[in-house]
Amino acid sequence: MTESPLIRPENRPIKPRHALSVLLIDNQPESRALLKAALRSIAEVTEIRESSTTANVPTLLEQHGASIVLIEQGLEEEDVFELVERRRADYGVVP
């Protein structure tokens, strides 16, 4: 009898297929907390970094990288689309 890939014995951890790191940028602590809770439920998400401002995004990306960057569109300090375009120019793709 073979095991279904969707069902696992309780004593064996699920190994993620891909390890994903997420950078979450939102100026609302409540929003970040909700998103972090949702992201923690995804097995592939192994690392979550957060920031309340876009000012340190270049440093965070250079030091830690990120598979996925989630940015609150309504941040008042900077146009999010300009930030994405600058990162695209720096890396050739949006990190």
Side-chain angles (χ1 to χ4, degrees):
M1 185 168 120
T2 61
E3 285 183 45
S4 167
L6 301 177
I7 301 172
R8 67 178 177 89
E10 290 303 315
N11 60 349
R12 193 170 54 178
I14 295 175
K15 292 184 180 179
R17 292 182 182 171
H18 304 284
L20 299 175
S21 61
V22 177
L23 174 58
L24 175 59
I25 305 150
D26 193 317
N27 60 356
Q28 299 294 321
E30 300 85 10
S31 297
R32 288 195 315 270
L34 286 171
L35 285 168
K36 283 192 310 187
L39 289 166
R40 285 189 186 116
S41 70
I42 301 169
E44 289 82 6
V45 175
T46 58
E47 182 177 15
I48 303 170
R49 297 198 184 279
E50 64 180 289
S51 177
S52 62
T53 176
T54 59
N56 58 355
V57 168
T59 302
L60 287 169
L61 289 174
E62 288 170 17
Q63 290 178 351
H64 307 287
S67 306
I68 299 169
V69 179
L70 300 174
I71 307 173
E72 165 62 40
Q73 183 178 348
L75 292 175
E76 295 177 7
E77 66 194 52
E78 182 172 9
D79 182 341
V80 173
F81 298 105
E82 289 178 17
L83 173 66
V84 170
E85 286 301 319
R86 277 200 316 280
R87 300 317 299 172
R88 183 176 291 154
D90 291 344
Y91 291 100
V93 295
V94 178

